[in-house]
Amino acid sequence: MRHTFAIAQMTVAEQASDNLKKMEAMMREARERFRAELILFPETCMAEFSRGMTRELRAETAEALDGPFVSAVRELAARFSLWTVFGFYEHAETADSENRSYNSALILDNRGEIRGHYRKTHLYDAFGYRESDDYLRGEQLFCPIDSPFGKLGLFVCYELRFPEVARAARAGGAEILLMPSAWVKGDLKSEHFRTLLKARAVENTCYLLAANQYSKIRMGESAAIDPMGVVTASAGEGELVFPVYLDSERLREVREKLPSFEDRREELYGSVQRNMMNRCQSEI
């Protein structure tokens, strides 16, 4: 069966209200122009923080799952009857949070109900930046969820560099991997991004969709990769929405031709995969 998704490559503004207006326009375009069934937004599309902003001000922007930003996106998802995946800053209730929040992502169904909730587990402490100075790590990988399109896996940006994350999603039954991102520009960063997207798709025989932010420092280049590593849709620079077509029969044929997941030697290296499979089974 064939399904139509949309990827929203977005320039994120400082104010959440401005971003909601952009998201509404992009969701309308995705639904009315492309007849999309799911739209994928970038990481932390709730707000863009300036480098000089204090940790306290960042933490004040964060909100709970029933906060105004999340609630507004839920209303949009229901209005447009559109599964919606997006990143936001989640308030941390822990006593030792030290004014840090979570870098979180949600999957909403076409009624606006929360179907998946994930807190980024691998923070971007690399290339001279320390995300962990401002954010808390999540402590559990995302357990893939059922949807009308297949089983959806979810991880965020920097986690593309950790093959164990995508592999655990595959072990949990994922057929489509969704990645909100805010990939930063830099030497070889574009090459890394595209190479790793293809690798994660091929080694797990999954579709992989990445929605990246675009700005003076964010790279853009959002893309969709099929289970054989073919780039089926992509963007360069700029702010845009574009369609992605996924075919469950294509996925079945690739997995039949390339049964690498079934051929793995779990007794040699599979403890993470086994733990994920057991946890996901217990949550069904």
Side-chain angles (χ1 to χ4, degrees):
M1 183 175 291
R2 187 171 174 174
H3 295 284
T4 303
F5 287 8
I7 293 179
Q9 182 164 290
M10 184 176 168
T11 301
V12 178
E14 289 188 6
Q15 298 299 318
S17 57
D18 293 333
N19 294 315
L20 281 170
K21 291 176 183 177
K22 289 187 179 187
M23 293 174 75
E24 179 179 3
M26 288 177 154
M27 293 170 79
R28 180 178 290 108
E29 181 177 4
R31 193 67 175 138
E32 296 179 358
R33 182 180 176 189
F34 304 126
R35 297 292 184 263
E37 301 163 83
L38 179 149
I39 187 168
L40 174 63
F41 284 100
E43 177 184 14
T44 58
C45 62
M46 177 181 176
E48 171 68 13
F49 295 136
S50 63
R51 287 187 176 273
M53 183 174 284
T54 65
R55 181 190 294 178
E56 289 75 17
L57 287 174
R58 289 172 184 260
E60 286 176 10
T61 303
E63 62 179 54
L65 292 180
D66 60 353
F69 181 81
V70 172
S71 297
V73 180
R74 291 182 64 182
E75 290 176 6
L76 291 173
R79 187 202 309 173
F80 292 111
S81 188
L82 191 60
W83 282 65
T84 303
V85 185
F86 66 101
F88 75 108
Y89 300 106
E90 183 185 358
H91 177 67
E93 295 287 354
T94 58
D96 60 348
S97 65
E98 298 177 331
N99 286 313
R100 291 179 294 174
S101 56
Y102 291 108
N103 182 340
S104 296
L106 289 178
I107 300 178
L108 310 177
D109 66 18
N110 60 348
R111 297 171 299 171
E113 299 297 325
I114 296 174
R115 295 289 299 275
H117 172 215
Y118 177 60
R119 293 167 172 168
K120 187 176 180 182
T121 55
H122 297 70
L123 299 182
Y124 184 64
D125 289 358
F127 293 97
Y129 180 73
R130 285 188 53 83
E131 189 177 15
S132 61
D133 286 345
D134 298 306
Y135 305 102
L136 295 169
R137 294 183 305 177
E139 294 299 333
Q140 195 168 63
L141 295 175
F142 183 78
C143 192
I145 63 165
D146 290 320
S147 80
F149 331 109
K151 207 139 193 177
L152 305 178
L154 177 67
F155 56 87
V156 178
C157 198
Y158 183 53
E159 295 176 320
L160 182 65
R161 295 184 181 274
F162 299 86
E164 299 88 349
V165 176
R167 184 56 118 197
R170 176 69 165 91
E175 298 168 303
I176 303 165
L177 301 173
L178 303 172
M179 190 184 82
S181 180
W183 204 269
V184 177
K185 295 177 181 178
D187 292 342
L188 295 176
K189 294 295 290 295
S190 176
E191 185 72 15
H192 288 188
F193 189 65
R194 187 61 61 91
T195 298
L196 293 169
L197 286 175
K198 289 184 176 183
R200 298 295 88 85
V202 170
E203 67 199 9
N204 295 297
T205 52
C206 287
Y207 282 99
L208 199 165
L209 280 61
N212 200 30
Q213 288 190 31
Y214 174 74
S215 68
K216 290 182 180 180
I217 64 169
R218 312 290 185 190
M219 189 178 67
E221 301 186 29
S222 302
I225 317 294
D226 89 348
M228 284 294 279
V230 177
V231 179
T232 61
S234 62
E237 299 182 341
E239 195 169 30
L240 73 159
V241 181
F242 60 95
V244 175
Y245 305 104
L246 299 87
D247 190 335
S248 59
E249 181 62 18
R250 167 72 167 166
L251 181 69
R252 185 194 66 76
E253 290 175 353
V254 169
R255 290 186 171 183
E256 186 175 275
K257 182 186 300 183
L258 180 62
S260 56
F261 184 78
E262 288 72 23
D263 289 342
R264 70 201 188 282
R265 296 277 309 275
E266 283 194 62
E267 73 275 15
L268 301 180
Y269 47 70
S271 60
V272 172
Q273 297 172 41
R274 286 195 299 274
N275 290 341
M276 187 66 171
M277 293 174 75
N278 292 336
R279 181 167 72 86
C280 291
Q281 284 295 322
S282 70
E283 293 183 10
I284 293 176

